[in-house]
Amino acid sequence: MIRRPPRSTLFPYTTLFRSRKSKESVALLTALMDWLETQKQVLKGDEAISNEVVAQAHIENHALKLFLWADTEDRAARFNKNVVKAFYTAGMLFDILSTSGELTDEVIHHR
């Protein structure tokens, strides 16, 4: 019987199983998952790692900070690659948040 991995690690596992055709991608994803599991054990005392609700709040807070900074720079007509990267990263973090449950009204507004 195959044991289902925890929800927080489901994406790497599904990616791994979809990409089994490439030995390089399997090796990379396996090494990445091993490293992530090691880091999870090292940081298990950190509530942002061990508690899913706190982790979501932490990611949401960081995504909003990035978005608001990039929005301020954009409105001030200060365009550069860091603004683009901040918008892109905030968008990726918002997408991650959408996979783990309901989004807050503030995230929905800024998304």
Side-chain angles (χ1 to χ4, degrees):
M1 182 170 147
I2 297 176
R3 188 174 72 94
R4 182 186 166 131
R7 187 167 78 170
S8 60
T9 58
L10 193 56
F11 178 74
Y13 283 111
T14 56
T15 303
L16 175 66
F17 288 120
R18 285 184 191 144
S19 64
R20 284 187 282 191
K21 295 176 185 173
S22 168
K23 290 181 182 181
E24 293 85 11
S25 63
V26 170
L28 174 69
L29 288 170
T30 303
L32 179 61
M33 287 186 295
D34 290 342
W35 180 81
L36 288 171
E37 289 299 323
T38 303
Q39 290 302 307
K40 193 164 79 173
Q41 291 302 316
V42 168
L43 300 171
K44 67 182 172 186
D46 186 357
E47 200 172 9
I49 301 296
S50 61
N51 186 330
E52 193 168 327
V53 174
V54 175
Q56 278 184 273
H58 183 72
I59 293 169
E60 181 179 322
N61 195 17
H62 188 67
L64 288 172
K65 281 182 186 177
L66 277 173
F67 177 82
L68 293 173
W69 175 82
D71 188 51
T72 302
E73 293 295 301
D74 186 42
R75 290 176 192 271
R78 291 188 290 258
F79 308 111
N80 58 45
K81 67 181 179 179
N82 292 331
V83 173
V84 174
K85 287 179 182 180
F87 273 129
Y88 181 75
T89 303
M92 295 295 285
L93 291 173
F94 289 146
D95 288 344
I96 289 168
L97 288 170
S98 70
T99 64
S100 59
E102 284 290 316
L103 297 176
T104 63
D105 292 338
E106 190 176 8
V107 169
I108 292 170
H109 173 71
H110 292 298
R111 189 174 184 203

